[in-house]
Amino acid sequence: MSKYIYILFVLLFISCSNEDDNLPTIDMEKLYGKWYTRKGCEDQNFVIYSEAGKYTSRRSNNENCSSNTQNTFESTATYKISKNEIYYDFITNSEIVIQGTDNNTYISSIETYYYQERIVELTDKMMVIEAEIKSDYRDESKFHTSTFYRDPQ
């Protein structure tokens, strides 16, 4: 009888284990540094993860670096990694660092109430991040995947 109780206890313990235990752990040395999106102007579309826990994101819709028709935005934050999930504490909201010549720059006024990023692939040359986003205009989560590269081209 005690044998069956022991087996039942083991099965119960295994079935109640935390799902986070199955998440991959990130090699932080591969994460550190500058990552490019390879979209448009490379000097205006990148993210940086520093060893000190500082994050910088720069983005624009400019097709190339010589014609700055769109604004270029920069955000900074501190970040922490747990398993493969990234947690940000933003220091600044998006600030314009290069003023575009056109006034058709995108600004989002949608309130996001849940935002979570997960690193789904990380190599020496490439990183894939999946973002889960919930906002005030959508009941279900939306998933967006971004690919970053070590070199700009």
Side-chain angles (χ1 to χ4, degrees):
M1 179 73 168
S2 65
K3 183 178 185 181
Y4 293 114
I5 293 173
Y6 175 74
I7 291 171
L8 183 61
F9 176 74
V10 169
L11 289 174
L12 183 62
F13 178 75
I14 291 171
S15 67
C16 292
S17 66
N18 191 345
E19 288 181 17
D20 288 346
D21 294 341
N22 297 326
L23 294 175
T25 302
I26 299 305
D27 181 350
M28 296 301 289
E29 293 301 318
K30 289 182 181 177
L31 176 68
Y32 299 139
K34 194 173 198 177
W35 294 90
Y36 298 92
T37 63
R38 290 189 179 169
K39 294 179 183 174
C41 174
E42 63 272 359
D43 290 335
Q44 297 172 7
N45 291 287
F46 61 82
V47 295
I48 300 172
Y49 291 92
S50 78
E51 290 183 52
K54 184 179 177 191
Y55 167 82
T56 303
S57 170
R58 188 173 281 195
R59 64 200 178 286
S60 78
N61 284 334
N62 288 317
E63 293 289 323
N64 57 58
C65 298
S66 61
S67 63
N68 290 313
T69 58
Q70 304 290 315
N71 290 344
T72 300
F73 295 92
E74 185 171 286
S75 300
T76 58
T78 57
Y79 73 93
K80 292 181 181 172
I81 303 282
S82 177
K83 299 280 186 175
N84 71 332
E85 296 181 339
I86 309 171
Y87 300 92
Y88 299 98
D89 182 16
F90 281 91
I91 298 169
T92 63
N93 291 321
S94 293
E95 296 177 351
I96 298 173
V97 292
I98 299 173
Q99 182 70 49
T101 56
D102 290 348
N103 287 331
N104 59 354
T105 304
Y106 65 93
I107 298 283
S108 175
S109 62
I110 298 169
E111 285 292 320
T112 299
Y113 61 87
Y114 179 81
Y115 184 84
Q116 178 63 57
E117 285 189 350
R118 293 171 194 86
I119 299 172
V120 294
E121 184 176 349
L122 179 61
T123 67
D124 291 331
K125 297 181 180 187
M126 186 180 76
M127 173 173 58
V128 179
I129 293 180
E130 176 186 77
E132 180 181 359
I133 306 161
K134 289 184 183 179
S135 60
D136 59 356
Y137 76 98
R138 180 178 297 209
D139 290 333
E140 71 277 353
S141 293
K142 178 180 179 186
F143 292 90
H144 175 75
T145 303
S146 300
T147 304
F148 298 89
Y149 303 91
R150 271 297 176 209
D151 57 15
Q153 300 299 331

